[in-house]
Amino acid sequence: MVPLSVAWDDIGGLVDAHERFLAGSMVESDVRDSVLDSWKRCRSVGLEPHRLLVRYTGDVALDERFRHAADPVLADLTSSFADASMTIALCDGQGRMVERLGGDRQLRDRLDAVRFAPGFDASESVVGTNGVGTALAERGPVYIAGREHFADCLQPFACAGAPVRDPLSGRIQAVLDITCLRDQGDPAMVRMVREAARSIEARLLEQADLRERALLAAYRRADGHARDWPGQPDGLRPDLDGGALGRIDMAVLRAKAEELIASPHRTLDEVTLPSGRTATLLRRQVTGAAGETGVAVEARVLGGPRLRHLDMAPAPGETGIPAAPTGEGRLGSAVRRPAGSPVTHSTPVPQAPATTPVTAPDGEAAGAEGWLLLVGEPGVGRLAMLARRRLELLHDASVRIGTTLDVTRTAEELAEVTVPRFADFVAVDLPDSVLRGEEPEALGGRTSLRRVAIRAVRRQPHNLYDVGDTVEYVPSTPQARSLETRQSVMEPVLTEADGWIAQDPERLTPVLEAGIHSLITVPLRARGTTLGVVSFYRSLQPDSYEDDDLSLAQELVGRAAICIDNARRYTREHNTALALQRSLLPRGRSEQSAVEVAYRYLPAQAGVGGDWFDVIPLSGARVALVVGDVVGHGLHAAATMGRLRTAVHNFCSLDLSPDDLLTHLDDLVGRLDRGEGWAAENSPDSGIVGATCLYAVYDPVSRRCTLTRAGHPLPAVVAPDGSVEFVDLPACPPLGLGGMPFETVELELAEGSRLVLYTDGLVEDRHRDIDAGLDDLRAVLAGADRSPEDTCEAVLDALLPARPGDDVALLVARTHSLGADRVAQWDLPSDPAVVSRSRAAVTAQLAEWGLEELTFTTELIASELVTNAIRHATGPVQLRLLRDRALICEVSDGSGTSPRLRRAQSTDEGGRGLFLVAQLTERWGTRYTPDGKVIWTEQPLPGRCR
């Protein structure tokens, strides 16, 4: 290790930015993104700009095949720089310099001073931002000049670097760099170094072509056919009496041949084709005249028509081997040879000697109809297989990832798709805000994440955190770097990734010993937002991750990120709508003793809807039971439901009869339609309101229940003996149509009867009509001695799937009665003298009930109400006291005129009676009856009497 401590003076706009970056300030707007990302990586590994420790390795070299392709390109590039003070550096795939060419003495001396010379390590993690190391880290061409270098000692220079890849595997084989003094630098250097790198890659590809051409020629010589063959095949021609092998059959054969080429220990393979025929493939080794080694695969189709052989050879100027895309491998083309020709080899295969024909499973000689299908190299065949498998994986990912709008499930689907086909262990980490559907905050080093999904081929002896664990990555880890730079990070050799081990050495060192050896981390990014990070590990698969694997991981995670972001946005909207709906539905149980209630609300699988229910206490110890359903789902349905529920509460405060209440509600819905019609063109979630409603009022004194409905399913009544009847209510139209009166039905319910109200989602869906649903409901409800809670559970368990397609509201009310011992009433003549007798009767009744504390106020209230009825009303007058949760005093008469509370002037002789009543009671009001009206008041009972 050679220490360097060289400082150089510098001026320019980057000086201040570099100092501010080292001080921890924000500099994003002053520095190029690629340079800033490199600075962050340098800081994460602990580099110091003023002092570097540069590693030296002797005898760094590249293989002869690469040098044979690179030397002519480097010679041409050096000659083009003869008049310029520029040096050319060739480094290996780890950033160690192999060779340095060109440059005048001054430039060479200055580069030697900073150890930018053969044998020294120029990787970014060692010397910071520079053309060689940053091109490796970015995996693409870069230009670095002056103060953009992280290290002080490199700031006098300008450099451009580009990686050189193997055109077949896609792996980075080397890095080419051009360096000059800063004042002579030009961004055009990037184009020059990129073109030189591409020239080297093209020469590497030519070498592959030459090898493949030599292999095909060796096979032709071994087959004894030296003549030129006239064409390239598209398929096989049939005889006149047979069918042809189609394109699908040929594709399957070719795919199996690629696998056979890539399998060094296999010689034979039997393939069943889509057409139903059987083919036998034979793998034979071929050696060219110059020692090139490869594999030929011959095919014999059994059970099919006789095939007319087509002789083929490469067209002039072609190799006979179609080129595959870079990084996906190259294979020889299908080539036919005449039937009956024996196959001989330059190098015999021990498992299948050249002079022995291959016997097919049915006993026929395969060589009799054999034909050359594919020629290639084992490594190339492997690359073709990998390319096809990657395409298959991408296809499966597009089908299997994002099947639900659930963030956690989508993360699990990503892990399931990629294990074991791409990784042996996958972990997905997201912040809690994403799981809640919120906008994630900026993610960076030491951001707290939640592990939401893991998938492994086998459980590691020392697990890399479990689902639900909180993970906080230290800045040096690949995961933290991915979050910080918003770029993927590949660690082909984890044992050399000190930053990853620094996360938790005690925990992670045994993980390495267990076999995990390679890692790719990819940030989950969608629509400009970072949602988390995915980690792909390999342990059982012997191959380390490559550049093509990195691209595949980015594609997989990119698709998953869109699905996760869609799920996050849906979660946010769903939670918003659900919060709105829950705020609009009843909370807790209302204070009343007329019925014992239990209820359930289940939102639909598609989201929130417009079903609602209510239990509303009315005057005179009565209770209103309401169930309604707004058509549709979403915020509009929930908001409309809230408006209708509020309207029902307001109408109930007026003590309207059930038919009058639905008439007013029908008018309101009609006005909502007319008032919101303008929005229908612009919003698919607004416009016509469709709603149904069932409204029932139960009186515990008379045990009478009055019901009416607007397009709603029939309610059910379960008698105390367990028998079930559906109340035959008239079929009135849904709310909002108008023009039709609502009819009521009144029935007497025995104490302990259960009244069951529900919405149509309980008894009707796509797979069941309403009649069948009602029959199922009747069967479930039948049975005595079941509480409302048990009834709700039994109904939902029997009638609903796990995820209902529509909202369901269910309300079960078991009736109680207010016994005669808790009711007192008196019929009074229209005579002012009766007021005193009414006071005496009230006093005596309160004493019997033990409510002497309320005697004075109740006497005053009864006296005032009876006096007003005698003085201002007509018809019979009745006084009634009810002892329920409150003391209720009611005075009824035959007049339809309601008294009005007013503030009397100081000179008025009257007008203060109702004012006193309002002051002495908790509530008071008027309700109308078919024969007149009732003025009622409520007083709270003393605590000991409740």
Side-chain angles (χ1 to χ4, degrees):
M1 306 289 282
V2 182
L4 295 179
S5 181
V6 183
W8 303 88
D9 294 333
D10 193 16
I11 58 174
L14 287 174
V15 177
D16 184 52
H18 193 263
E19 295 299 328
R20 285 189 287 117
F21 173 80
L22 295 177
S25 301
M26 299 289 288
V27 297
E28 276 80 353
S29 60
D30 302 319
V31 184
R32 289 187 292 139
D33 289 342
S34 59
V35 173
L36 183 60
D37 291 341
S38 175
W39 287 2
K40 291 177 180 178
R41 291 193 294 267
C42 296
R43 183 173 59 185
S44 70
V45 298
L47 291 184
E48 300 178 11
H50 60 282
R51 187 174 186 274
L52 300 177
L53 294 175
V54 184
R55 295 191 290 256
Y56 177 80
T57 303
D59 300 327
V60 181
L62 295 169
D63 62 67
E64 290 299 323
R65 182 177 65 90
F66 186 90
R67 291 310 305 257
H68 180 71
D71 285 345
V73 177
L74 295 179
D76 291 344
L77 192 61
T78 303
S79 63
S80 66
F81 290 154
D83 298 330
S85 182
M86 289 188 177
T87 186
I88 302 165
L90 180 65
C91 304
D92 66 7
Q94 286 73 47
R96 299 170 300 185
M97 189 177 297
V98 177
E99 184 179 12
R100 194 181 71 188
L101 305 171
D104 58 19
R105 178 175 294 278
Q106 178 187 8
L107 178 60
R108 293 197 300 269
D109 290 344
R110 298 192 68 171
L111 290 175
D112 290 341
V114 297
R115 306 299 187 259
F116 193 72
F120 287 97
D121 194 339
S123 61
E124 190 180 72
S125 60
V126 174
V127 299
T129 307
N130 71 93
V132 176
T134 304
L136 270 176
E138 295 284 335
R139 318 192 77 81
V142 297
Y143 176 73
I144 307 296
R147 197 67 178 186
E148 290 181 331
H149 289 88
F150 186 79
D152 295 340
C153 60
L154 298 180
Q155 291 168 8
F157 304 101
C159 53
V164 184
R165 288 181 166 84
D166 185 316
L168 298 181
S169 69
R171 290 183 178 179
I172 295 178
Q173 297 289 98
V175 181
L176 193 61
D177 175 90
I178 301 174
T179 301
C180 62
L181 293 177
R182 180 184 57 207
D183 296 340
Q184 301 175 13
D186 190 322
M189 294 162 57
V190 174
R191 178 180 56 80
M192 301 172 64
V193 73
R194 184 195 300 120
E195 290 178 353
R198 288 177 177 173
S199 298
I200 297 175
E201 292 171 353
R203 291 180 60 83
L204 287 170
L205 193 59
E206 290 176 1
Q207 291 182 15
D209 289 342
L210 292 173
R211 290 198 306 274
E212 291 172 344
R213 188 180 297 118
L215 291 175
L216 186 58
Y219 181 87
R220 290 168 57 190
R221 286 195 302 272
D223 200 30
H225 297 280
R227 60 186 175 83
D228 290 334
W229 294 346
Q232 182 123 351
D234 292 326
L236 301 177
R237 293 179 186 170
D239 280 335
L240 296 177
D241 57 347
L245 282 182
R247 291 183 179 274
I248 298 179
D249 287 345
M250 289 300 298
V252 171
L253 280 177
R254 185 180 181 87
K256 294 298 183 180
E258 292 170 0
E259 295 180 4
L260 198 57
I261 288 178
S263 304
H265 304 297
R266 294 174 57 194
T267 304
L268 276 171
D269 193 7
E270 185 176 280
V271 183
T272 300
L273 301 177
S275 62
R277 305 170 191 175
T278 302
T280 301
L281 302 182
L282 173 64
R283 181 183 191 271
R284 296 183 183 276
Q285 188 172 347
V286 180
T287 303
E292 305 89 346
T293 60
V295 173
V297 176
E298 298 173 351
R300 163 76 165 91
V301 179
L302 305 176
R306 289 182 57 84
L307 302 174
R308 179 179 302 151
H309 306 299
L310 301 179
D311 295 338
M312 314 123 212
E318 296 181 355
T319 66
I321 305 168
T326 301
E328 295 186 4
R330 297 162 57 83
L331 286 169
S333 59
V335 181
R336 273 300 310 270
R337 64 183 179 86
S341 299
V343 181
T344 56
H345 306 274
S346 302
T347 304
V349 180
Q351 299 93 329
T355 58
T356 304
V358 179
T359 302
D362 59 359
E364 296 183 20
E369 289 290 340
W371 47 280
L372 179 62
L373 177 64
L374 214 61
V375 172
E377 297 180 75
V380 177
R382 167 187 168 274
L383 296 172
M385 263 200 317
L386 291 177
R388 186 175 65 256
R389 288 173 181 172
R390 286 164 180 155
L391 290 175
E392 292 173 352
L393 180 57
L394 286 175
H395 174 266
D396 290 348
S398 65
V399 174
R400 295 173 54 187
I401 297 177
T403 60
T404 68
L405 287 172
D406 181 84
V407 173
T408 300
R409 181 58 193 146
T410 305
E412 292 171 350
E413 289 170 344
L414 170 62
E416 291 170 0
V417 167
T418 52
V419 174
R421 299 164 65 180
F422 179 71
D424 299 314
F425 184 93
V426 174
V428 183
D429 303 319
L430 306 174
D432 289 336
S433 57
V434 172
L435 297 175
R436 294 191 299 266
E438 303 170 358
E439 291 289 340
E441 300 177 357
L443 301 181
R446 290 205 172 275
T447 298
S448 180
L449 302 176
R450 180 82 56 189
R451 179 142 295 176
V452 299
I454 58 174
R455 186 84 170 182
V457 174
R458 65 182 183 188
R459 185 173 181 84
Q460 302 298 330
H462 299 274
N463 205 347
L464 299 172
Y465 302 98
D466 286 323
V467 172
D469 289 351
T470 300
V471 185
E472 189 174 292
Y473 291 109
V474 301
S476 63
T477 59
Q479 290 86 350
R481 286 152 52 197
S482 290
L483 295 173
E484 179 76 16
T485 63
R486 302 181 296 278
Q487 295 180 353
S488 304
V489 175
M490 183 170 68
E491 295 287 355
V493 184
L494 267 183
T495 54
E496 300 176 1
D498 296 336
W500 178 77
I501 300 175
Q503 172 73 20
D504 190 343
E506 293 184 2
R507 188 173 196 154
L508 298 184
T509 300
V511 169
L512 294 177
E513 296 172 354
I516 286 184
H517 59 81
S518 190
L519 166 67
I520 289 178
T521 64
V522 185
L524 276 159
R525 287 185 54 78
R527 302 178 177 95
T529 302
T530 303
L531 304 173
V533 66
V534 184
S535 303
F536 301 97
Y537 294 89
R538 279 186 176 173
S539 58
L540 300 180
Q541 300 185 43
D543 295 334
S544 297
Y545 283 118
E546 307 171 356
D547 283 350
D548 287 345
D549 295 317
L550 182 64
S551 301
L552 178 60
Q554 291 170 339
E555 179 68 22
L556 290 169
V557 174
R559 297 186 182 196
I562 294 296
C563 296
I564 288 177
D565 191 51
N566 290 339
R568 177 190 67 82
R569 291 168 179 260
Y570 169 79
T571 300
R572 179 184 61 192
E573 298 299 330
H574 179 74
N575 290 343
T576 301
L578 200 58
L580 171 63
Q581 186 182 42
R582 286 173 176 169
S583 69
L584 297 175
L585 287 172
R587 296 183 180 181
R589 302 182 187 273
S590 58
E591 294 186 0
Q592 52 82 32
S593 56
V595 292
E596 176 190 352
V597 298
Y599 51 81
R600 296 289 188 274
Y601 172 78
L602 276 72
Q605 180 179 0
V608 299
D611 291 14
W612 92 92
F613 61 90
D614 235 324
V615 180
I616 306 172
L618 301 177
S619 63
R622 300 170 306 140
V623 64
L625 305 174
V626 192
V627 171
D629 182 3
V630 175
V631 177
H633 297 90
L635 287 175
H636 178 68
T640 302
M641 175 270 290
R643 298 169 77 172
L644 297 185
R645 179 171 176 258
T646 301
V648 171
H649 272 265
N650 291 334
F651 294 148
C652 284
S653 67
L654 300 176
D655 261 321
L656 299 176
S657 62
D659 53 337
D660 285 343
L661 185 142
L662 285 192
T663 300
H664 283 75
L665 199 61
D666 178 67
D667 180 63
L668 172 64
V669 172
R671 285 187 281 113
L672 289 178
D673 286 344
R674 293 189 296 272
E676 293 185 357
W678 62 273
E681 297 180 359
N682 301 322
S683 174
D685 201 22
S686 61
I688 300 300
V689 175
T692 65
C693 185
L694 174 63
Y695 184 78
V697 175
Y698 174 69
D699 187 345
V701 178
S702 63
R703 292 187 288 106
R704 306 290 293 179
C705 184
T706 305
L707 305 96
T708 186
R709 65 169 179 152
H712 204 79
L714 295 175
V717 175
V718 186
D721 62 1
S723 60
V724 181
E725 293 293 337
F726 288 100
V727 181
D728 188 14
L729 287 177
C732 299
L735 298 173
L737 298 182
M740 294 290 290
F742 294 97
E743 301 182 44
T744 61
V745 169
E746 188 174 21
L747 62 153
E748 184 174 337
L749 300 177
E751 183 173 7
S753 299
R754 282 170 285 158
L755 187 62
V756 181
L757 285 65
Y758 52 89
T759 55
D760 60 355
L762 182 69
V763 295
E764 185 179 19
D765 57 34
R766 293 178 298 173
H767 309 291
R768 177 182 56 184
D769 61 34
I770 191 169
D771 291 333
L774 292 177
D775 291 340
D776 294 341
L777 178 60
R778 182 193 298 273
V780 176
L781 292 177
D785 299 330
R786 184 184 285 169
S787 68
E789 285 289 341
D790 292 340
T791 302
C792 286
E793 290 296 330
V795 168
L796 295 185
D797 290 344
L799 270 69
L800 283 190
R803 297 175 68 85
D806 193 8
D807 292 34
V808 173
L810 174 64
L811 178 62
V812 179
R814 181 161 61 185
T815 63
H816 298 300
S817 64
L818 206 60
D821 60 331
R822 301 169 71 93
V823 180
Q825 68 181 33
W826 301 272
D827 293 327
L828 304 176
S830 297
D831 183 357
V834 81
V835 175
S836 61
R837 294 199 299 270
S838 66
R839 286 199 297 267
V842 167
T843 300
Q845 186 62 53
L846 293 181
E848 182 180 342
W849 285 344
L851 300 177
E852 293 86 352
E853 299 177 29
L854 301 178
T855 300
F856 175 77
T857 55
T858 309
E859 281 186 346
L860 182 58
I861 292 168
S863 175
E864 178 62 32
L865 295 181
V866 170
T867 300
N868 283 345
I870 294 173
R871 179 178 298 177
H872 301 293
T874 60
V877 177
Q878 186 182 76
L879 171 65
R880 185 168 74 161
L881 292 181
L882 305 176
R883 182 186 176 187
D884 192 35
R885 291 178 177 269
L887 179 62
I888 302 171
C889 178
E890 296 182 343
V891 175
S892 60
D893 58 57
S895 172
T897 304
S898 175
R900 181 172 58 89
L901 180 65
R902 66 185 181 88
R903 183 178 295 277
Q905 300 296 323
S906 58
T907 57
D908 292 343
E909 295 183 0
R912 298 177 178 85
L914 283 182
F915 178 76
L916 291 175
V917 170
Q919 295 299 310
L920 296 174
T921 60
E922 189 174 53
R923 295 196 307 153
W924 77 281
T926 304
R927 73 172 180 269
Y928 294 93
T929 66
D931 301 324
K933 69 175 182 298
V934 176
I935 309 297
W936 57 269
T937 66
E938 289 184 5
Q939 302 173 76
L941 296 178
R944 60 181 175 80
C945 299
R946 295 179 182 174

